[in-house]
């Protein structure tokens, strides 16, 4: 996080380092053009959702290239912590990864190990694509990737909450991201949560405190701009909703107006 390496192509990383409160969103639709259009809106980062979105391996490559070509940072959210998924995501040229359902420090260490080139980790080299989306040559990418790729872990379960201090203490973890829906489901047994349930509020406060204690950035999902503005008073970054929800919400709202 404190590395002095500066690459102007890494929009999200640079904004985080500058405490500029960058804003992201999730992309769940497998479309090169959708990725371009969403990236054109002024966002700092886009999380390509390979966990819950309709994103194949091919679509992941296309979206990463499309987002980076617009000067926005592409991140890839994986399905799980497997080393081959981490390798594939980073080999697209993603500026970082978001890994869901991290429950233990051991899982966090495994993600870091598979995200870093030797000697810090076990990541293999072979793809020419990352250098393109980082706007540098392959040699420079190899020399700088360990210090410039964002490794973001999601805390969204009771077990993850119990182990959040140990998870945040793992070297090489850059950001903690709160999945409020799954966290609420794990803690309260239902979604959607109102957001003001004491148990959920206390859990989020505990995660933020652990991230701050160990010098990690911390982000969360925000369902709309008003909530995003409030969340950015506490969090370093937010992911503002989802491309799919944005389309649904616009049509729902405008249809109500048209039919009124």
């Amino acid at each position: 996080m404190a590395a002095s390496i500066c690459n102007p192509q890494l929009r999200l990383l640079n904004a985080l380092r500058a405490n500029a409160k960058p804003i992201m969103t999730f992309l769940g639709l497998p479309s090169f053009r959708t990725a371009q259009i969403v990236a054109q809106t002024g966002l700092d980062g886009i999380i390509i959702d390979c966990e819950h979105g309709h994103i194949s391996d091919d679509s992941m490559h296309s979206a990463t290239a499309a987002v980076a070509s617009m000067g926005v940072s592409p991140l890839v959210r994986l399905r799980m912590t497997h080393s081959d998924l981490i390798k594939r995501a980073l080999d697209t040229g993603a500026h970082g990864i978001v890994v869901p359902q991290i429950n233990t420090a051991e899982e966090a260490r495994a993600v870091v190990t598979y995200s870093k080139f030797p000697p810090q980790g076990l990541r293999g080299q072979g793809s020419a694509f990352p250098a393109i989306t980082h706007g540098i040559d392959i040699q420079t990418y190899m020399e700088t990737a360990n210090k410039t790729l964002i490794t973001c872990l999601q805390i969204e379960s009771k077990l993850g909450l119990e182990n959040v201090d140990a998870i945040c203490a793992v070297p090489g973890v850059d950001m903690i991201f709160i999945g409020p829906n799954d966290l609420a489901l794990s803690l309260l047994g239902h979604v959607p949560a109102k957001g003001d349930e004491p148990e959920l509020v206390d859990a989020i406060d505990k995660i933020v405190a652990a991230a701050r204690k160990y010098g990690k950035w911390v982000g969360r999902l925000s369902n709309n701009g008003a909530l995003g503005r409030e969340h950015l008073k506490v969090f370093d970054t937010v992911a503002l909703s989802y491309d799919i929800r944005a389309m649904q919400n616009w049509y729902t709202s405008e249809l109500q107006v048209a039919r009124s």
Side-chain angles (χ1 to χ4, degrees), residues 54-109:
H54 182 47
I55 307 289
S56 67
D57 204 65
D58 285 349
S59 298
M60 177 177 66
H61 270 268
S62 295
T64 300
V67 170
S69 73
M70 303 299 291
V72 176
S73 287
L75 282 74
V76 172
R77 179 159 74 171
L78 311 176
R79 295 189 294 276
M80 55 184 67
T81 60
H82 286 183
S83 61
D84 59 329
L85 297 178
I86 294 171
K87 182 195 304 182
R88 290 296 290 167
L90 293 177
D91 278 357
T92 67
H95 292 184
I97 54 172
V98 180
V99 187
Q101 294 286 349
I102 296 297
N103 295 311
T104 67
E106 289 75 19
E107 290 176 351
R109 280 191 286 270

Side-chain angles (χ1 to χ4, degrees), residues 1 17 24 37 54 93 121 129 143 162 198 227 240 245 254:
M1 288 172 58
R17 286 174 171 171
M24 306 181 287
I37 290 167
H54 182 47
F129 305 129
E143 293 170 354
E162 290 171 6
L227 286 172
L240 190 61
R245 292 196 192 100
E254 296 306 313

Side-chain angles (χ1 to χ4, degrees), residues 117-198:
F117 290 120
Q120 288 87 356
L122 298 174
R123 181 184 171 193
Q125 192 276 333
S127 175
F129 305 129
I132 298 172
T133 58
H134 286 241
I136 52 181
D137 59 77
I138 294 174
Q139 183 62 36
T140 303
Y141 177 81
M142 292 292 299
E143 293 170 354
T144 60
N146 283 0
K147 294 182 179 180
T148 56
L149 290 170
I150 297 170
T151 300
C152 175
L153 308 182
Q154 285 192 240
I155 304 295
E156 46 189 347
S157 69
K158 282 184 179 180
L159 184 56
L161 181 65
E162 290 171 6
N163 293 316
V164 67
D165 258 65
I167 292 168
C168 289
V170 173
V173 173
D174 301 306
M175 185 191 299
I176 300 298
F177 191 89
I178 297 173
N181 293 325
D182 279 338
L183 185 61
L185 187 60
S186 180
L187 295 176
L188 307 176
H190 66 84
V191 288
K194 291 184 295 183
D196 60 357
E197 295 88 347

Side-chain angles (χ1 to χ4, degrees), residues 6-23:
C6 182
N7 178 350
Q9 185 74 10
L10 303 180
R11 179 168 170 169
L12 181 64
L13 177 65
N14 295 334
L16 287 167
R17 286 174 171 171
N19 194 30
K21 302 292 185 174
I23 297 176

